[in-house]
Amino acid sequence: ILEWKKKNRETGFLSGYYWKDLKRCNKKIASLLSDQYTKKPFCDGLVRDGQMIISSRTAEQWKKPMPSTWHEFDGSSWDVAMQLLDLRMAFLESRQNLKGMGIAAGVPVEPDSQTALADATMKLPGVVAAGVPGAGGYDALFVIYVKGPPTNGGRSDQVRDEIGSLWRDLSNQDNDTVVCPLTVRAAGSGGLCASSLQW
């Protein structure tokens, strides 16, 4: 990718379109995670409505009217869902830039098989975003989701179980592909938490 970037910088390829747009998307993601999502109304709303309302619906359903707490005020389930949709869109834009850059450079940053897996995962209830982390390739996929009602004695949750089920089903359909969840949780509170990261 860096070789491709250098070569195309010299030829003026779209004035560095992919890099500039990717940088813009990444700044938005960082801002949402480090600023907007640490505010009390958002956190309170996510704790109050995340598990029962937001996690049980797909992102497409978040746009539609919901139960009585789904009103337009800071921290309402509607407000929380709209903010999560902002994060989802920023990750989708980032993925589009990485995919386009990979195609242009002839490098599988987000291979088609990973695109299909991420897209299928993003259709599940409670899933905010999914994509290929780091430098890309075939070896990993990240998922950001709203924790659902607890399952398995509190060791898992409904959304996480659905993700695992989808991935098992996809692995069983294709003998050449093995998808196995290696779950990682945020330190401390077990979810989104405030930090003083220097971007």
Side-chain angles (χ1 to χ4, degrees), residues 20-31 89-95 97:
K20 288 178 183 176
D21 207 42
L22 183 60
K23 184 176 181 178
R24 179 191 58 79
C25 293
N26 288 342
K27 280 186 174 185
K28 182 172 183 174
I29 290 167
S31 174
M89 290 308 301
F91 271 110
L92 282 170
E93 288 181 55
S94 179
R95 282 182 56 203
N97 281 301

Side-chain angles (χ1 to χ4, degrees), residues 182-198:
L182 174 62
T183 56
V184 179
R185 295 180 184 193
S189 67
L192 185 64
C193 56
S195 177
S196 59
L197 296 175
Q198 297 299 317

Side-chain angles (χ1 to χ4, degrees), residues 13-193:
F13 176 74
L14 293 177
S15 300
Y17 168 77
Y18 291 121
W19 289 100
K20 288 178 183 176
D21 207 42
L22 183 60
K23 184 176 181 178
R24 179 191 58 79
C25 293
N26 288 342
K27 280 186 174 185
K28 182 172 183 174
I29 290 167
S31 174
L32 288 170
L33 292 174
S34 63
D35 298 330
Q36 192 168 335
Y37 293 172
T38 60
K39 293 180 180 169
K40 186 168 175 35
F42 175 85
C43 294
D44 289 348
L46 188 59
V47 167
R48 184 189 61 242
D49 296 330
Q51 197 171 80
M52 297 309 295
I53 296 175
I54 298 171
S55 73
S56 65
R57 291 166 174 78
T58 65
E60 196 58 38
Q61 292 170 319
W62 295 344
K63 300 173 189 175
K64 300 174 183 173
M66 291 291 163
S68 60
T69 59
W70 201 269
H71 301 295
E72 293 184 46
F73 60 88
D74 285 351
S76 70
S77 46
W78 173 266
D79 177 58
V80 169
M82 292 301 104
Q83 290 185 57
L84 291 173
L85 285 172
D86 284 346
L87 182 64
R88 181 182 181 90
M89 290 308 301
F91 271 110
L92 282 170
E93 288 181 55
S94 179
R95 282 182 56 203
Q96 288 171 348
N97 281 301
L98 289 168
K99 179 88 172 174
M101 188 184 311
I103 290 169
V107 177
V109 175
E110 185 177 291
D112 291 341
S113 60
Q114 294 290 80
T115 297
L117 180 60
D119 289 348
T121 303
M122 286 183 69
K123 291 178 183 174
L124 294 174
V127 174
V128 178
V132 177
Y138 296 90
D139 60 348
L141 189 82
F142 72 84
V143 181
I144 298 173
Y145 70 93
V146 176
K147 188 175 181 179
T151 61
N152 198 16
R155 290 190 300 270
S156 190
D157 68 84
Q158 207 165 34
V159 177
R160 186 181 197 173
D161 293 347
E162 287 294 319
I163 294 166
S165 178
L166 171 70
W167 290 5
R168 271 188 304 280
D169 291 347
L170 291 173
S171 291
N172 291 336
Q173 292 171 12
D174 182 358
N175 290 333
D176 295 331
T177 303
V178 177
V179 182
C180 57
L182 174 62
T183 56
V184 179
R185 295 180 184 193
S189 67
L192 185 64
C193 56

